[in-house]
C-alpha cells in the first residue's frame, strides 16, 4: 500500500464488535476477506483509492478474488507512481470508487475483513462509503500487523512490515505495492500467524481479534478459566487457590461474560488483581436473569467477596427509628428490634439516614439532643430550645401527649401512610428561603426533602409486596415460553421456565412443590429478604410484560401514601428550588 501523510488510527478506533460473523466460530471455519488498497496518500476523505485487491479464503482454500483499478478523480503524486507503478494513464479508464463499492461490499458479506495495518485500509473504505451514501457493514476486522506483534518475537523478525513477514513465512506471492499481490501475500502471512495461535490457546475468530489487543500476561495466561462454562443466565464465582470466593457476578450469558475478563476491554485495576489470585471459575446456572440477580445478592451477603463493591453488602444498611421513652427522638441504628414500631428505612448509608432525619427535624419538632429524659427530673435546655426549634421537653415545657401529637404522630403517619404534613412543612421552608434569596440553604432543605420522600416511597413500596404470603408471576421468555417466579413475603422462593407451547401452570405447580418455605413474621418492611432482593423482584413484577398469575392476598399501597409524591421526588432530585413551590397542596 502507498505510504502518505495520513496518521493511522489505533485498533481501538475500529468497531469489531459488529458484523454477522459469530465470534465463537473456529478459525478454520471462518471466511476471511483479505484486502489491500493502493491510494494517493493523505488522509481518508472519501477519495484517494487507486486500486483494490481482495482475496476470499476459508480453511486455507481460496474462494474468490476481486481486483480493480480505481479512478481517484485527482492526479497521482509522482512518488506514488514510482512506488507502485500505477500511472495516471492506467487510471483514466478505471471506474470511480462509487461504482466499485457495491461489488466490494457484496464480496465481504458474512466475512471477517483482514488487512495489514487495518486502520489505514478500513479508514479509506469507511470514508468512501460515507461520502457516496453506502452503509458501512461494520465487519469484524483482524489486523495481521497487530497479530504479528503478539505472535512473533523480535528474535524472529526485526519488524512487522508486510515484506518482512512475507520473507519470514516464505509466501508464494511477494508484496509489490500492488493491491492484489499484497493481498495474496497477506493471505499467506495470515495462515502462518494462525498456525502459531494454537500455542496461545486461541482457536476462534473472536479470540484472535481479542488477542491482537493489549491484554496483560495474566489475562492471557488465565484465559483457560473461561473454558467450558455454560452460555445461559446464571452466577459466576471467581475462586482462589483455597477455594475462597474472590468475586461474584451475574450475566445472561455466563461464558461470554467471563471471557470478557480476559480481554483488553477489562481495564479495572481491582479486576486485574483479582484475576492474578483466581484459580478457577464456578458457574451456577439459573432459570432466568431474575434468579441470577437474586443468587448473586445472596452469595455476596454470605461470603463477602473482597473484590465486590462494598455497597452491595446488606449489613451496611441502616435504619432511622424513634427511640422509646416519654419523649422519643430519632436514632440511626444498624437493625430493628421487635419492639420498634416507628421507623424508616432501610437506608444504604448512614449519611442518607442522617439527611432524612434532618428533613424531619426541619418539618416537625422532634428533639435532637441525646439525653435520656425523665418525667421527674428536669434537664437544662439546649440552644435549639432558645432558638424556638425545639419544644424543650427536657424542661417539661410540653407534655408527653402534646409532644406525641406535634412531633411523634407526624413521623409515624409519614412513614406508614401519608407524608403530606412533612412535605408541606419542607416546601414552605424552601419557599421562604428562596424568597429571601437564601438559595444555598434552600438547596440543602431540598436535598433533605428528597431523602425523606425517597425513603418513604421505598419503604411503602417494599411493604406492599412483603405483606403477601405468595405471588406467582410469569414473564415472556426471549426464546419462547415463560419465565416464572414464586415470591413469598418478598423473597424469591422458586424460579423456572416453562417451554414454548406449554401452559405455564404445570410448571408453576412443580416450582411450588420444591420452593423454599418462607414463614411469616419478622419485623420491618423486608422481614424475610434483603431490601435489594425485594427491589429486584419488584422491578421484575412491575414490568409491563409481566403477568400476575396467582396471589394469596391483595397487593396494595396506601391511597394517600408516599407514592403520589414520585413526581415531586423527581423534581427534588433534579434540582431547582423554584420548581418545588408550586407543589404545595
Amino acid at each position: 500500500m502507498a505510504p502518505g501523510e495520513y496518521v493511522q488510527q489505533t485498533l481501538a478506533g475500529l468497531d469489531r464488535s459488529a458484523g454477522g460473523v459469530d465470534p465463537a466460530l473456529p478459525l478454520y471455519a471462518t471466511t476471511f476477506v483479505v484486502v489491500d488498497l493502493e491510494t494517493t496518500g493523505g488522509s481518508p476523505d472519501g477519495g484517494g483509492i487507486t486500486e483494490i485487491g481482495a482475496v476470499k479464503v476459508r480453511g486455507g482454500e481460496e474462494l474468490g478474488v476481486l481486483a480493480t483499478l480505481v479512478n481517484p478523480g485527482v492526479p497521482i503524486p509522482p512518488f506514488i507512481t514510482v512506488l507502485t507503478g500505477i500511472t495516471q494513464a492506467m487510471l483514466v479508464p478505471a471506474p470511480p470508487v462509487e461504482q466499485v463499492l457495491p461489488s466490494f461490499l457484496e464480496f465481504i458479506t458474512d466475512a471477517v475483513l483482514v488487512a495489514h495495518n487495518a486502520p489505514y485500509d478500513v479508514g479509506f473504505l469507511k470514508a468512501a462509503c460515507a461520502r457516496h451514501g453506502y452503509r458501512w457493514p461494520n465487519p469484524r476486522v483482524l489486523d495481521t500487523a497487530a497479530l504479528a506483534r503478539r505472535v512473533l518475537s523480535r528474535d524472529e523478525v526485526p519488524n512487522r512490515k508486510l515484506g518482512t513477514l512475507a520473507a519470514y513465512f516464505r509466501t508464494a506471492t511477494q508484496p509489490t505495492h500492488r493491491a492484489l499481490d499484497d493481498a495474496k501475500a497477506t493471505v499467506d502471512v495470515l495462515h502462518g500467524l494462525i498456525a502459531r495461535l494454537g500455542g496461545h490457546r486461541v482457536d476462534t475468530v473472536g479470540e484472535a481479534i481479542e488477542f491482537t489487543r493489549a491484554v496483560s500476561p495474566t489475562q492471557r495466561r488465565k484465559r483457560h478459566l473461561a473454558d467450558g462454562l455454560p452460555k445461559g443466565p446464571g452466577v459466576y464465582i471467581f475462586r482462589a487457590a483455597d477455594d475462597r470466593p474472590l468475586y461474584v457476578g451475574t450475566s445472561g450469558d455466563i461464558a461470554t461474560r467471563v471471557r470478557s475478563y480476559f480481554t483488553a476491554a477489562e481495564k479495572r485495576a481491582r479486576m486485574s488483581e483479582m484475576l492474578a489470585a483466581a484459580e478457577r471459575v464456578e458457574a451456577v446456572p439459573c432459570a432466568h436473569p431474575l434468579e441470577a440477580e437474586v443468587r448473586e445478592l445472596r452469595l455476596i451477603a454470605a461470603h463477602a467477596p473482597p473484590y465486590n463493591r462494598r455497597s452491595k453488602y446488606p449489613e451496611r444498611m441502616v435504619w432511622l427509628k424513634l427511640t422509646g421513652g416519654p419523649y422519643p427522638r430519632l436514632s440511626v441504628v444498624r437493625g430493628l428490634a421487635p419492639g420498634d414500631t416507628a421507623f424508616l428505612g432501610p437506608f444504604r448509608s448512614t449519611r442518607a439516614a442522617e439527611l432524612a432525619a434532618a428533613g424531619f427535624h426541619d418539618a416537625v419538632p422532634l428533639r435532637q439532643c441525646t439525653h435520656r429524659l425523665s418525667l421527674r427530673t428536669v434537664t437544662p435546655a439546649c440552644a435549639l430550645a432558645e432558638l424556638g426549634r425545639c419544644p424543650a421537653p427536657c424542661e417539661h415545657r410540653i407534655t408527653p401527649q402534646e409532644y406525641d401529637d406535634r412531633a411523634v404522630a407526624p413521623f409515624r403517619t409519614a412513614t406508614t401512610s401519608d407524608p403530606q404534613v412533612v412535605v408541606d412543612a419542607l416546601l414552605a421552608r424552601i419557599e421562604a428561603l428562596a424568597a429571601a434569596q437564601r438559595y444555598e440553604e434552600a438547596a440543602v432543605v431540598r436535598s433533605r426533602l428528597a431523602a425523606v420522600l425517597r425513603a418513604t416511597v421505598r419503604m411503602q413500596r417494599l411493604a406492599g409486596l412483603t405483606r403477601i404470603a405468595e405471588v406467582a408471576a410469569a414473564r415472556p421468555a426471549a426464546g419462547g415460553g415463560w419465565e416464572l417466579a414464586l415470591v413469598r413475603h418478598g423473597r424469591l422462593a422458586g424460579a423456572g421456565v416453562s417451554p414454548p407451547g406449554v401452559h405455564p401452570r404445570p410448571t408453576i405447580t412443580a416450582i411450588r412443590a420444591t420452593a423454599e418455605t418462607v414463614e411469616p413474621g419478622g419485623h420491618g418492611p423486608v422481614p424475610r429478604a434483603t431490601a435489594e432482593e425485594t427491589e429486584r423482584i419488584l422491578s421484575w413484577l412491575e414490568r409491563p410484560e409481566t403477568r400476575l398469575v396467582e396471589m394469596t392476598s391483595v397487593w396494595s399501597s396506601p391511597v394517600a401514601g408516599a407514592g403520589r409524591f414520585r413526581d415531586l421526588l423527581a423534581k427534588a432530585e433534579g434540582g431547582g428550588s423554584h420548581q418545588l413551590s408550586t407543589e404545595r397542596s
Side-chain angles (χ1 to χ4, degrees):
M1 69 183 63
E5 301 174 356
Y6 171 52
V7 178
Q8 294 187 22
Q9 304 174 20
T10 63
L11 285 173
L14 301 178
D15 181 1
R16 289 160 293 178
S17 62
V21 178
D22 185 354
L25 193 65
L27 287 167
Y28 66 80
T30 300
T31 300
F32 297 101
V33 170
V34 182
V35 64
D36 186 85
L37 305 182
E38 301 304 328
T39 72
T40 58
S43 60
D45 57 1
I49 299 176
T50 60
E51 188 176 28
I52 298 177
V55 181
K56 183 180 291 188
V57 294
R58 183 176 62 239
E61 179 184 356
E62 184 178 296
L63 304 179
V65 174
L66 184 151
T68 180
L69 291 169
V70 179
N71 190 337
V74 295
I76 300 178
F79 80 95
I80 295 293
T81 297
V82 171
L83 180 69
T84 66
I86 298 175
T87 66
Q88 195 73 44
M90 294 169 61
L91 298 181
V92 169
V97 70
E98 59 266 31
Q99 294 181 13
V100 175
L101 283 174
S103 299
F104 176 77
L105 294 176
E106 182 179 357
F107 190 72
I108 68 172
T109 299
D110 296 328
V112 173
L113 198 61
V114 180
H116 198 73
N117 291 322
Y120 185 90
D121 299 88
V122 173
F124 271 87
L125 291 168
K126 289 176 70 174
C129 285
R131 181 174 180 178
H132 298 289
Y134 291 97
R135 186 185 67 83
W136 177 246
N138 249 9
R140 299 185 184 276
V141 178
L142 182 61
D143 186 349
T144 51
L147 192 58
R149 280 191 286 270
R150 299 293 176 196
V151 171
L152 303 176
S153 68
R154 285 286 181 182
D155 293 334
E156 294 175 289
V157 289
N159 57 60
R160 276 71 177 181
K161 294 179 180 179
L162 181 57
T164 303
L165 297 178
Y168 178 79
F169 286 112
R170 300 180 180 180
T171 61
T173 304
Q174 291 298 308
T176 61
H177 292 294
R178 291 297 300 269
L180 185 58
D181 284 347
D182 287 7
K184 288 183 175 181
T186 305
V187 168
D188 291 341
V189 169
L190 172 66
H191 289 156
L193 293 172
I194 288 176
R196 300 286 293 269
L197 289 177
H200 297 275
R201 303 181 66 88
V202 175
D203 302 309
T204 69
V205 63
E207 291 172 346
I209 292 172
E210 286 296 339
F211 189 72
T212 64
R213 302 181 183 182
V215 298
S216 69
T218 298
Q219 288 175 306
R220 189 171 292 116
R221 186 176 69 255
K222 296 199 172 183
R223 182 179 291 154
H224 68 279
L225 297 181
D227 294 347
L229 297 177
K231 292 187 67 65
V235 177
Y236 54 90
I237 308 166
F238 283 88
R239 293 187 178 273
D242 59 0
D243 223 32
R244 175 172 48 97
L246 298 172
Y247 182 81
V248 177
T250 182
S251 176
D253 184 337
I254 296 175
T256 301
R257 180 68 185 98
V258 173
R259 276 199 300 269
S260 72
Y261 286 90
F262 304 96
T263 68
E266 180 53 75
K267 300 181 183 300
R268 292 172 292 177
R270 79 177 196 281
M271 289 296 102
S272 298
E273 184 180 322
M274 183 274 292
L275 291 176
E279 291 298 328
R280 72 181 183 93
V281 179
E282 176 185 347
V284 182
C286 296
H288 46 68
L290 173 63
E291 184 188 10
E293 291 176 16
V294 169
R295 286 188 179 274
E296 178 196 32
L297 290 171
R298 293 179 184 176
L299 286 168
I300 291 173
H303 300 291
Y307 293 97
N308 281 97
R309 289 196 303 272
R310 300 287 176 178
S311 59
K312 289 192 174 183
Y313 293 0
E315 66 269 17
R316 297 175 67 87
M317 298 299 170
V318 296
W319 301 79
L320 188 62
K321 75 165 189 174
L322 281 177
T323 61
Y327 298 108
R329 63 177 177 85
L330 291 177
S331 176
V332 178
V333 296
R334 287 288 179 187
L336 297 176
D340 294 330
T341 58
F343 49 81
L344 182 62
F347 294 89
R348 291 184 172 88
S349 67
T350 300
R351 182 180 178 277
E354 291 173 343
L355 194 62
F360 280 105
H361 289 143
D362 282 343
V364 296
L366 284 164
R367 70 182 180 96
Q368 300 183 45
C369 62
T370 58
H371 299 299
R372 186 182 297 274
L373 302 185
S374 170
L375 292 175
R376 299 178 181 178
T377 306
V378 174
T379 303
C382 63
L384 290 176
E386 301 302 324
L387 294 173
R389 297 193 58 190
C390 179
C394 51
E395 293 187 341
H396 297 172
R397 297 183 196 176
I398 186 173
T399 67
Q401 185 60 51
E402 291 172 332
Y403 183 81
D404 187 274
D405 293 341
R406 291 175 54 190
V408 175
F411 177 83
R412 294 180 184 273
T413 303
T415 55
T416 58
S417 57
D418 187 2
Q420 183 76 60
V421 172
V422 175
V423 170
D424 284 346
L426 292 174
L427 287 176
R429 182 163 173 77
I430 292 171
E431 187 175 347
L433 291 169
Q437 298 186 356
R438 295 160 63 182
Y439 299 117
E440 291 185 1
E441 294 175 71
V444 171
V445 178
R446 184 190 69 233
S447 65
R448 293 171 180 175
L449 170 64
V452 169
L453 286 177
R454 193 181 303 115
T456 52
V457 168
R458 185 188 191 209
M459 189 171 83
Q460 292 181 18
R461 181 168 172 260
L462 291 170
L465 178 61
T466 57
R467 282 192 295 264
I468 306 175
E470 183 178 284
V471 177
R475 176 176 176 267
W482 294 87
E483 296 178 359
L484 305 172
L486 193 71
V487 182
R488 291 173 174 169
H489 296 292
R491 181 179 178 87
L492 185 65
V497 177
S498 65
V502 177
H503 198 283
R505 282 196 180 276
T507 308
I508 292 175
T509 301
I511 293 172
R512 181 178 286 116
T514 58
E516 177 185 358
T517 300
V518 182
E519 297 292 343
H523 198 48
V526 280
R528 295 305 182 196
T530 63
E532 283 71 21
E533 175 175 337
T534 303
E535 283 183 314
R536 299 288 177 89
I537 295 170
L538 275 167
S539 297
W540 190 85
L541 292 174
E542 291 171 350
R543 291 177 181 174
E545 65 272 21
T546 301
R547 302 290 181 263
L548 299 179
V549 181
E550 296 173 353
M551 290 193 298
T552 55
S553 60
V554 175
W555 185 0
S556 63
S557 297
V559 174
R564 75 184 197 276
F565 292 108
R566 289 180 187 270
D567 291 342
L568 176 60
L569 173 59
K571 290 182 178 180
E573 291 177 328
S577 302
H578 65 282
Q579 298 177 344
L580 303 181
S581 60
T582 59
E583 298 293 333
R584 295 187 63 189
S585 57

